[in-house]
Amino acid sequence: MNSLREDLHALADQAPAVDLAAQAVRGARRRRATRLAVAIAAATCLVAGGGTVLFQQLHPQPPIVLTPPETTVSPLPSEGVGPIEQAYRPECRTTTCTKRAWRLVTHDGDTYELPATLGTGPLAVTADGRRLAYYNSKQRTIVVRDLASGKTWKSPLKQPAEDFSASNERTLRLSPSGLRFIVSSWGGRREPNKLVDVERGTVSDLPRGWWPVSVSDGSGPVVLAKPYENTSQVWVLGHEPITIQDFTYDYSTLAPDGRTLARLGQTFDENREPMVQQDGTIVIFDAVQGGHETRTPISGIPEELHPSRLGSWLNATEVTVVAVPESSRGPTSMVYAMDVRTGKTRELFALRDYGTTLVPGLVR
């Protein structure tokens, strides 16, 4: 997720004329509460690609490491790789270790290491785990690769490596096929903020300041969002933006019906600490017309875990959700499927490592 402090500083410039002293007090309390609430869920970082979330879990001293950093794994083959369940970059636990390469874990349990030369820019996996997208520094573009066949597609957008420096937060949001994507920097506030169609060979500019939520294949819907002080706007391109009464980044991708979005419910009370808290619900709403929302309590997730991020839809009624521990001594983070009608969840898999983790199907 982009720096909330950066977001709120940028959004302050857009605020109407108000009592500046009162606004400053409210804004400072809001920023502090928002940082606390987000820290409880997860410390997000780097790139989130096409229904893929990238974040660091709150485990400074993890009790269990399922794949030790010292374990040697095979390099990623040029073809014949099954769908990816998750990817992770093992945490450095000594002062002498260097930045570790990405490891890809398939649904069958195979683990491969991505060449370090492909892990220097944004990395993303399609929601079905079958295609990988990465920045190729030699070709100066983003490449999409089918893991089973080995076939690759080059993006028509040429980009210097400086676009993907460590100081430049970036997002790579893939369509289901991976052949249409949004590449965005600092929540759309800096270049690039582009919609790229690999098959058609086209590159389109997106409005500045709008953060990518979801992108469909072909000419399907593109969904953007922009948070303000106490509200957010959601924009399905081709329609008018709608306003929701929450400051949030916690959206799902667009549902199969082409208009429904889900988000994690929250409440705001300026007289408590933290002022912003999740309320344990899943909220679904019409991203095209707005209006009525349905709020349903979430069930089936242990008390020690906290819903943190939503992602792609597994079918017409189930959406992906990651739950993380509320304390550094909590259990392993888990990925669930959640029925938005009932709030009931079913366990999919545990996250593999306590370093930086990437899960196909999630939005960050």
Side-chain angles (χ1 to χ4, degrees):
M1 187 173 72
N2 302 311
S3 167
L4 292 179
R5 182 170 57 188
E6 288 284 335
D7 284 328
L8 294 179
H9 279 306
L11 294 172
D13 294 338
Q14 306 172 27
V18 294
D19 182 335
L20 296 181
Q23 180 71 11
V25 172
R26 287 196 301 270
R29 296 177 71 188
R30 172 69 181 192
R31 286 190 290 273
R32 180 177 62 178
T34 302
R35 286 195 298 270
L36 288 171
V38 173
I40 289 175
T44 60
C45 70
L46 300 179
V47 69
T52 304
V53 67
L54 184 63
F55 62 93
Q56 291 183 324
Q57 301 175 61
L58 300 178
H59 284 271
Q61 293 181 341
I64 301 173
V65 177
L66 300 181
T67 303
E70 296 76 14
T71 301
T72 301
V73 299
S74 302
L76 181 69
S78 60
E79 60 183 20
V81 178
I84 299 300
E85 174 188 86
Q86 61 183 287
Y88 66 94
R89 179 176 277 154
E91 184 178 31
C92 283
R93 295 179 175 86
T94 70
T95 58
T96 59
C97 71
T98 58
K99 192 174 184 179
R100 300 182 184 275
W102 282 100
R103 291 178 177 177
L104 308 177
V105 183
T106 70
H107 287 284
D108 293 331
D110 298 322
T111 302
Y112 302 105
E113 191 162 270
L114 191 67
T117 55
L118 302 183
T120 58
L123 179 74
V125 182
T126 56
D128 63 7
R130 298 180 184 277
R131 289 179 177 173
L132 180 72
Y134 53 87
Y135 179 71
N136 186 306
S137 58
K138 290 184 178 180
Q139 298 181 7
R140 299 179 65 248
T141 192
I142 291 171
V143 174
V144 180
R145 173 176 166 182
D146 188 280
L147 293 166
S149 68
K151 182 178 179 180
T152 61
W153 295 262
K154 290 194 302 181
S155 163
L157 176 64
K158 295 292 185 180
Q159 295 175 264
E162 290 76 16
D163 281 357
F164 307 117
S165 65
S167 62
N168 187 8
E169 292 187 16
R170 64 272 188 190
T171 298
L172 180 58
R173 184 81 71 238
L174 301 180
S175 70
S177 71
L179 300 183
R180 194 175 183 225
F181 62 82
I182 296 173
V183 58
S184 181
S185 178
W186 282 93
R189 294 195 304 277
R190 299 179 187 172
E191 288 292 336
N193 196 31
K194 309 282 188 181
L195 173 64
V196 180
D197 192 312
V198 177
E199 288 187 302
R200 298 178 181 178
T202 59
V203 179
S204 305
D205 290 322
L206 292 174
R208 184 168 179 167
W210 289 85
W211 172 77
V213 173
S214 181
V215 55
S216 303
D217 286 324
S219 57
V222 173
V223 184
L224 308 175
K226 180 187 289 188
Y228 293 87
E229 179 70 17
N230 295 316
T231 63
S232 300
Q233 282 194 308
V234 174
W235 186 11
V236 179
L237 296 187
H239 303 273
E240 292 296 319
I242 67 164
T243 299
I244 61 174
Q245 301 305 312
D246 282 326
F247 175 98
T248 182
Y249 285 93
D250 298 334
Y251 302 101
S252 70
T253 61
L254 198 63
D257 64 9
R259 61 189 309 126
T260 301
L261 279 182
R263 74 177 192 272
L264 294 173
Q266 62 184 36
T267 59
F268 171 72
D269 185 344
E270 62 181 9
N271 296 315
R272 73 181 178 200
E273 292 290 340
M275 289 185 287
V276 178
Q277 296 180 12
Q278 288 188 6
D279 63 7
T281 66
I282 182 74
V283 181
I284 57 173
F285 62 99
D286 190 321
V288 175
Q289 293 184 335
H292 178 70
E293 297 182 344
T294 300
R295 189 178 298 262
T296 305
I298 298 171
S299 62
I301 295 178
E303 292 183 1
E304 298 84 1
L305 293 178
H306 189 80
S308 172
R309 289 290 180 270
L310 299 174
S312 65
W313 294 71
L314 302 172
N315 49 56
T317 61
E318 285 187 311
V319 70
T320 308
V321 60
V322 160
V324 302
E326 295 191 11
S327 73
S328 61
R329 297 182 180 276
T332 301
S333 297
M334 299 294 299
V335 179
Y336 295 87
M338 181 190 304
D339 191 313
V340 299
R341 302 167 304 175
T342 65
K344 293 182 179 179
T345 57
R346 57 185 178 90
E347 186 178 301
L348 296 179
F349 56 89
L351 294 185
R352 182 63 68 97
D353 192 83
Y354 294 104
T356 303
T357 305
L358 181 155
V359 181
L362 270 75
V363 179
R364 83 107 182 128

